[in-house]
Amino acid sequence: MSRVVTVGAAQLGPVEPEHSRSDAVARMIELLRDAAGMSCDLVVFPELALTTFFPRWYMEDQAEVDRYFEREMPNADTQPLFDEARRLGVGFYLGYAELAVEDGKTRRFNTAILVNKEGVIVGKYRKIHLPGHAEVEAWRAFQHLEKRYFETGNLGFGVFKEFGGTMGMCLCNDRRWPETYRVLGLQGVEMVLLGYNTPVHNPPAPEHDDLSLYHNALVMRSGAYQNATWVVGVAKAGPEAGVPMIGGSQIVAPSGEAVAMCTTLGDELAVARCDLDLCTSYKSTIFNFDRHREPQAYGLITSRKGINTAAK
Ligand code: ING
């Protein structure tokens, strides 16, 4: 028995500051239609897909920053995407900047949602690992102010029983942290969906720049293999507001192999038929967590003394 989900990695090229949300939505609808033409069940769009990657600038005025946030979802700008997806019978993952009022307090998150084939939001995730810095750093060619503009996500890493399997979500920098995949893996995740906006150049470590695509692939492929899950990673790519961002969107099998990849820096769709039952081949053998993981023996800081004793 196979549980095949046909997935479209819908990479976007630059969303420039002068592009409106409806410009971005129109491009995403084009990719959605292409995906439906290839029998996709689910399409994954990038992080912050509706706007340019605004954390690259320092903005003093909060009202200026808030222009990049969505106050409700769907809204007038995104309703056409929801409507077309429902008409086509395709679900999607969408990254955007969320402004929410919770208990009378205004909260701002880097958010992703999972929308089912009926156009209903069935899952939400708020980015936990926020890279960059909170104060403007004039020495940088461009800023990375996610720690200033967003709060740490408060929804944890959850799984959602959708599309015939166990789906998980994360965002961008989360993909670099093994904890992300392991927390999802311990919940039996079978497909991790993630969008990213990754500059080629990381100002604090220019020596990493040549490895940016390698590191992108490395973290998603190892996360997939070590947690016996599919991983779908989708870029907003290309020279956005003059800042080059990596592409490298790809669909990764539980084996760690990339089965589909984008090869440009523009709007591009990569499609794969993903059999969720392939996860079982790893979850029931080498990564059978119940049989082979030994968390009680891992010597966390709280049992440091225990390790020293064993060493004598
Ligand atoms: N972007 C980057 C990412 O983790 C970054 C931050 C840039 C890390 C360059 C390392 C090198 O992919 C976001 N938005 O998290």
Side-chain angles (χ1 to χ4, degrees):
M1 207 284 258
S2 62
R3 289 176 296 137
V4 174
V5 183
T6 302
V7 176
Q11 176 178 287
L12 288 176
V15 176
E16 299 296 359
E18 60 272 19
H19 289 163
S20 67
R21 286 169 170 79
S22 46
D23 292 336
V25 166
R27 289 164 55 188
M28 287 190 266
I29 286 175
E30 275 308 301
L31 290 164
L32 205 58
R33 286 174 178 153
D34 292 349
M38 297 178 75
S39 308
C40 284
D41 301 298
L42 170 63
V43 170
V44 180
F45 293 114
E47 172 189 37
L48 296 176
L50 298 169
T51 66
T52 198
F53 185 74
F54 61 91
R56 67 168 65 92
W57 298 300
Y58 173 64
M59 290 170 273
E60 188 93 37
D61 176 7
Q62 187 63 50
E64 189 183 353
V65 176
D66 287 351
R67 281 184 23 234
Y68 294 98
F69 285 76
E70 313 306 321
R71 285 152 179 75
E72 61 269 329
M73 188 56 68
N75 56 38
D77 290 312
T78 56
Q79 192 61 55
L81 181 68
F82 279 71
D83 293 346
E84 184 66 356
R86 188 173 56 245
R87 185 184 73 82
L88 295 168
V90 180
F92 62 92
Y93 162 111
L94 176 70
Y96 64 94
E98 176 192 13
L99 190 152
V101 179
E102 293 179 348
D103 304 325
K105 194 169 170 302
T106 300
R107 318 289 298 273
R108 294 175 181 85
F109 299 102
N110 188 339
T111 293
I113 51 173
L114 183 60
V115 180
N116 69 14
K117 295 184 174 184
E118 290 72 45
V120 175
I121 297 173
V122 293
K124 178 181 276 192
Y125 170 73
R126 289 166 169 169
K127 188 174 182 177
I128 290 170
H129 296 99
L130 297 169
H133 45 105
E135 300 306 324
V136 62
E137 295 181 0
W139 60 271
R140 291 171 178 258
F142 52 90
Q143 306 295 304
H144 199 114
L145 288 163
E146 290 194 63
K147 291 185 193 296
R148 184 181 188 85
Y149 297 148
F150 302 118
E151 285 184 60
T152 303
N154 62 351
L155 301 176
F157 291 114
V159 293
F160 310 93
K161 302 286 187 183
E162 296 293 339
F163 300 95
T166 303
M167 315 300 280
M169 292 191 279
C170 69
L171 275 158
C172 204
N173 195 259
D174 290 322
R175 77 188 186 286
R176 298 181 190 276
W177 299 90
E179 295 88 339
T180 302
Y181 303 98
R182 185 43 51 93
V183 169
L184 291 169
L186 288 168
Q187 299 173 76
V189 75
E190 296 174 310
M191 182 174 280
V192 178
L193 312 176
L194 67 96
Y196 56 90
N197 290 206
T198 299
V200 170
H201 175 51
N202 186 25
E207 68 276 20
H208 301 171
D209 293 1
D210 290 349
L211 292 167
S212 52
L213 275 173
Y214 170 73
H215 287 154
N216 179 58
L218 175 67
V219 293
M220 292 196 285
R221 296 178 192 181
S222 51
Y225 169 63
Q226 291 171 337
N227 294 281
T229 179
W230 290 86
V231 173
V232 184
V234 181
K236 171 139 51 75
E240 188 179 83
V243 176
M245 299 210 288
I246 68 168
S249 304
Q250 55 198 271
I251 301 173
V252 181
S255 62
E257 298 165 293
V259 297
M261 276 195 80
C262 292
T263 57
T264 73
L265 292 176
D267 294 8
E268 181 183 352
L269 184 72
V271 175
R273 285 171 45 81
C274 305
D275 182 357
L276 299 179
D277 284 341
L278 280 182
C279 299
T280 309
S281 164
Y282 294 89
K283 287 187 192 295
S284 65
T285 57
I286 189 160
F287 292 116
N288 180 327
F289 288 169
D290 291 340
R291 285 198 59 204
H292 301 308
R293 279 188 77 239
E294 301 289 356
Q296 77 289 349
Y298 288 164
L300 296 180
I301 299 299
T302 49
S303 62
R304 177 68 59 200
K305 189 166 57 58
I307 291 177
N308 296 337
T309 310
K312 285 191 186 78

